[in-house]
Amino acid sequence: MHHRLPLCLPVLALFGLSACATDNRSGGGHSYSRSEITAHDEVVASERAFAKTMADRDFKGFKGWLSSEAIFFNGNSVQHGPSQIEVVWKPYFDGPTAPFSWLPDNVQVLPSGKLALSTGPVFVQGQEVGRFNSVWRLEGSHTWRIVFDKGEAVCTKP
């Protein structure tokens, strides 16, 4: 158990995991053809591709998913814009193995089809340690980018 603690703490801080979340699941820069999939499907595919940049150790790909106006919450700090976000996230792309992973389990898109919320679990060594919350914005023809990102810890039951 102690071997996970040093890895888990930076990940919790990274995702701004200071408050506990209950498990309330229900149900980038890349383009997709509207005729092929819905906006919901576009956001799901975008979130999965964004998470894959971490697994693939692809920092350049990661940066491509950030809106020029992106804001990421990291513990008690907030990064405004890609340059600040990149400074905080770059160390997580160093090394051959991803320190954490995530995947969407709930995506909701506004009726306008221009803004969406994606949320899901964050894993460290296969164990769920938190949940992420990302707001995606349609910034071009079928091009979704992240404008807000924040996470929270998952409470353990007593």
Side-chain angles (χ1 to χ4, degrees):
M1 180 95 170
H2 294 296
H3 69 280
R4 290 186 183 180
L5 190 57
L7 179 61
C8 185
L9 289 178
V11 172
L12 294 177
L14 171 70
F15 280 97
L17 304 176
S18 58
C20 291
T22 57
D23 188 359
N24 60 356
R25 297 176 202 180
S26 60
H30 301 277
S31 298
Y32 304 95
S33 168
R34 178 76 61 196
S35 63
E36 295 172 11
I37 57 177
T38 66
H40 174 273
D41 293 336
E42 288 178 355
V43 175
V44 169
S46 295
E47 184 70 66
R48 288 181 178 165
F50 179 57
K52 190 173 183 318
T53 65
M54 177 64 74
D56 291 348
R57 321 310 291 134
D58 179 10
F59 188 61
K60 183 178 178 185
F62 170 86
K63 297 187 302 184
W65 291 103
L66 303 177
S67 168
S68 64
E69 299 179 295
I71 297 174
F72 276 40
F73 297 83
N74 179 17
N76 292 327
S77 68
V78 179
Q79 292 79 50
H80 294 264
S83 61
Q84 289 182 9
I85 294 165
E86 291 166 16
V87 168
V88 172
W89 278 74
K90 175 64 173 112
Y92 294 99
F93 284 84
D94 295 341
T97 306
F100 55 90
S101 63
W102 68 94
L103 60 98
D105 67 5
N106 191 351
V107 171
Q108 300 295 320
V109 181
L110 290 179
S112 68
K114 295 180 182 181
L115 200 64
L117 172 68
S118 176
T119 186
V122 176
F123 300 99
V124 171
Q125 300 176 350
Q127 180 180 354
E128 186 174 349
V129 297
R131 290 190 60 82
F132 74 89
N133 301 284
S134 298
V135 175
W136 292 79
R137 179 172 62 196
L138 186 62
E139 293 196 341
S141 180
H142 314 291
T143 302
W144 291 89
R145 290 202 174 86
I146 297 175
V147 290
F148 290 101
D149 187 80
K150 186 175 184 181
E152 53 196 23
V154 173
C155 294
T156 55
K157 296 179 181 168

